[in-house]
């Protein structure tokens, strides 16, 4: 088997594994994991039509999955100069974007927990305890995730990569 054929097989296998493992770990549909793998391994931006073809998926499905990836901070959507179609590419700082999304989502849940605890002030002791645990958990998670983000971006900067 030629080196190019082996590379293509490895590419296909990785895209499939991303669909299974990244999709599951992130709570995404397998198609989003496959789209993430495809874009991560692509050396050039891809149009929606190219993604559709490569993933053998409908326009609606690919559109929804790319929107999910953009929202989760790993992919960016833009128009190249002089072109009329949007393209998608894996962000150079995709893991920073992913962690920023997780921090923001966790902070929103912490805020919900804080509001819930105030609103639940007259609830039963069991309910108040559960609301308090929720608030404590999301305070803990937000604090530690923010610290991880700072550490990770500092590490990237020290390796000469832009945050």
């Amino acid at each position: 088997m030629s080196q190019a054929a082996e590379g293509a097989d490895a590419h296909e296998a990785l895209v499939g594994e991303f669909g299974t493992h990244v999709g599951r770990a992130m709570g995404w549909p397998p198609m989003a994991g496959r789209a993430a793998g495809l874009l991560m391994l692509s050396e050039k931006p891809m149009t929606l039509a190219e993604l559709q073809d490569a993933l053998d998926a409908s326009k609606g499905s690919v559109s929804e999955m790319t929107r999910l990836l953009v929202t989760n901070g790993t992919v960016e959507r833009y128009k190249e100069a002089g072109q009329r179609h949007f393209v998608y590419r894996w962000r150079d700082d995709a893991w920073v974007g992913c962690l920023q999304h997780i921090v923001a989502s966790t902070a929103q849940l912490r805020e919900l927990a804080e509001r819930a605890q105030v609103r639940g002030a007259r609830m039963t002791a069991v309910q108040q305890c559960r609301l308090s645990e929720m608030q404590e958990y999301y305070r803990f998670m937000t604090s530690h995730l923010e610290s991880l983000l700072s550490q990770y971006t500092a590490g990237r900067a020290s390796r000469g990569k832009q945050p």
Side-chain angles (χ1 to χ4, degrees):
M1 181 181 286
S2 74
Q3 190 173 5
E6 287 178 8
D9 287 347
H11 183 275
E12 288 290 319
L14 280 173
V15 168
E17 283 189 61
F18 267 68
T20 301
H21 301 291
V22 173
R24 184 181 312 133
M26 297 298 290
W28 298 342
M31 180 63 70
R34 290 181 58 224
L38 184 63
L39 287 165
M40 180 193 285
L41 297 174
S42 179
E43 294 183 15
K44 64 177 186 65
M46 298 179 75
T47 65
L48 196 60
E50 289 170 328
L51 285 164
Q52 268 181 264
D53 186 49
L55 295 168
D56 192 28
S58 70
K59 183 177 182 177
S61 178
V62 173
S63 179
E64 186 176 331
M65 295 309 108
T66 54
R67 188 170 30 256
L68 176 69
L69 296 174
V70 168
T71 299
N72 279 270
T74 57
V75 169
E76 60 186 350
R77 174 183 183 246
Y78 66 98
K79 280 188 182 179
E80 293 181 316
Q83 298 297 314
R84 57 184 207 143
H85 295 287
F86 283 98
V87 291
Y88 299 86
R89 73 172 166 206
W90 189 256
R91 285 177 44 174
D92 291 337
D93 66 346
W95 303 116
V96 171
C98 185
L99 190 48
Q100 287 170 330
H101 174 74
I102 292 168
V103 169
S105 297
T106 306
Q108 288 176 346
L109 291 169
R110 183 201 65 225
E111 292 165 7
L112 169 64
E114 290 167 355
R115 288 191 310 272
Q117 191 168 20
V118 169
R119 287 185 180 162
R122 295 182 186 219
M123 291 183 174
T124 67
V126 169
Q127 292 168 323
Q128 286 181 25
C129 181
R130 289 176 181 165
L131 292 173
S132 178
E133 284 289 322
M134 179 183 178
Q135 183 182 32
E136 183 179 324
Y137 172 80
Y138 282 113
R139 279 186 178 167
F140 174 86
M141 291 300 293
T142 302
S143 169
H144 284 75
L145 288 168
E146 287 170 345
S147 177
L148 287 172
L149 178 59
S150 293
Q151 290 174 39
Y152 184 72
T153 55
R156 278 184 48 104
S158 72
R159 292 186 305 275
K161 300 195 171 153
Q162 296 297 318

